[in-house]
Amino acid sequence: MSGTRKRSRTADVLLRALPSLAIFALCLVAWELWVNIRDVPAYLYPSPTEIGKELRDEGVSLAADDLRWTMIEAVLGFLLGSAVALFTAIVFVHAKFLERVFFPWAIVLQTVPIVAVAPLLTIWFGFTLTPKVLIAAMICFFPVLVNATKGLRSISSQAVELMSILSASKWSLFWRVRVPSSLPYIFAGLKVASTLSVIGAIVAEFTGADRGIGFVIIQASYRLDTRLMFAGIALSSAAGVVFFNVIDALERLALRWPDARLDR
């Protein structure tokens, strides 16, 4: 029975992914035909076939070295930014005065251009891991903060009254009511942050790095090697999709009760 259920779940996943894969394939075919019909030079706008050849030749080394380093930066930034955001959301929920004081500063932090902050952090911390992690954390912080704050406040008044009747402590109210009810919102923010963390790490690498996908893209742009640029973009996009699906899988494990997920 378990084997049959696993096969049915796999079939369901494939069926859900089929429309997206079909559209993706159609876009690649249209791209290939357009480049060949218009006879566009490969150095100007490479075809999917040319990009595929570049991935075949350089993909293993890019994934093993540069992509691995970029994902280390992205994951560390994701964990740091999400942890700080969750802690801040808990503080905001229990101290509205602090929320009124500091939430506008969180908005200011979100509106600061990352491309302007990244060079400063590189100057302050050098060509190390630190500025990349900090940029990824900054870009992850706001979506997790907003969703976590809303989620922690999403409990019903009836649940609060029930816990009050049971003489439950604030700690019990937090862990038994607020946290479970907030998980769908928190995971929604985490899924957004997972893709943004990859972008943040790559943008930070643009301003100063000696490895990583951002470094590869910048070096390729200097040489006008558009095939390598597209190969780097393809790898980073694939990594972002994988990271998103990892968080989505964790959400499915954490929220097993019916109708718990926001997208159901």
Side-chain angles (χ1 to χ4, degrees), residues 216-229:
V216 170
I217 293 174
I218 286 293
Q219 293 299 310
S221 68
Y222 292 154
R223 302 194 303 268
L224 299 180
D225 189 350
T226 53
R227 292 191 304 174
L228 184 57
M229 292 175 64

Side-chain angles (χ1 to χ4, degrees), residues 12-122:
D12 290 340
V13 171
L14 292 175
L15 286 174
R16 286 198 299 266
L18 188 59
S20 298
L21 293 175
I23 293 174
F24 180 70
L26 287 174
C27 290
L28 290 181
V29 171
W31 181 355
E32 184 78 28
L33 291 174
W34 181 81
V35 169
N36 285 281
I37 292 173
R38 297 293 299 272
D39 197 21
V40 181
Y43 70 87
L44 185 63
Y45 202 85
S47 66
T49 302
E50 294 293 330
I51 298 171
K53 291 179 181 178
E54 188 71 24
L55 286 171
R56 182 192 63 192
D57 297 336
E58 302 291 340
V60 175
S61 60
L62 283 175
D65 299 326
D66 297 292
L67 182 61
R68 179 177 62 86
W69 187 250
T70 297
M71 290 309 298
I72 290 174
E73 299 163 353
V75 171
L76 290 177
F78 170 81
L79 294 175
L80 175 62
S82 300
V84 174
L86 291 173
F87 175 78
T88 306
I90 294 171
V91 173
F92 283 176
V93 168
H94 290 90
K96 291 185 178 180
F97 172 75
L98 293 178
E99 181 181 9
R100 290 195 298 269
V101 172
F102 289 106
F103 192 78
W105 289 103
I107 299 174
V108 170
L109 180 66
Q110 177 68 15
T111 57
V112 172
I114 295 299
V115 292
V117 177
L120 292 175
L121 293 178
T122 301

Side-chain angles (χ1 to χ4, degrees), residues 159-194:
V160 175
E161 290 176 4
L162 176 61
M163 295 298 286
S164 177
I165 292 172
L166 296 175
S167 300
S169 63
K170 289 186 177 180
W171 184 256
S172 297
L173 176 65
F174 176 77
W175 281 110
R176 295 179 182 274
V177 180
R178 288 192 185 275
V179 170
S181 64
S182 68
L183 286 180
Y185 295 88
I186 291 175
F187 273 105
L190 291 176
K191 287 193 286 188
V192 174
S194 65

Side-chain angles (χ1 to χ4, degrees), residues 133-155:
V133 173
L134 290 177
I135 289 296
M138 285 177 59
I139 203 171
C140 290
F141 173 78
F142 193 73
V144 178
L145 173 65
V146 171
N147 281 274
T149 303
K150 182 175 179 60
L152 289 170
R153 286 213 174 101
S154 65
I155 59 174

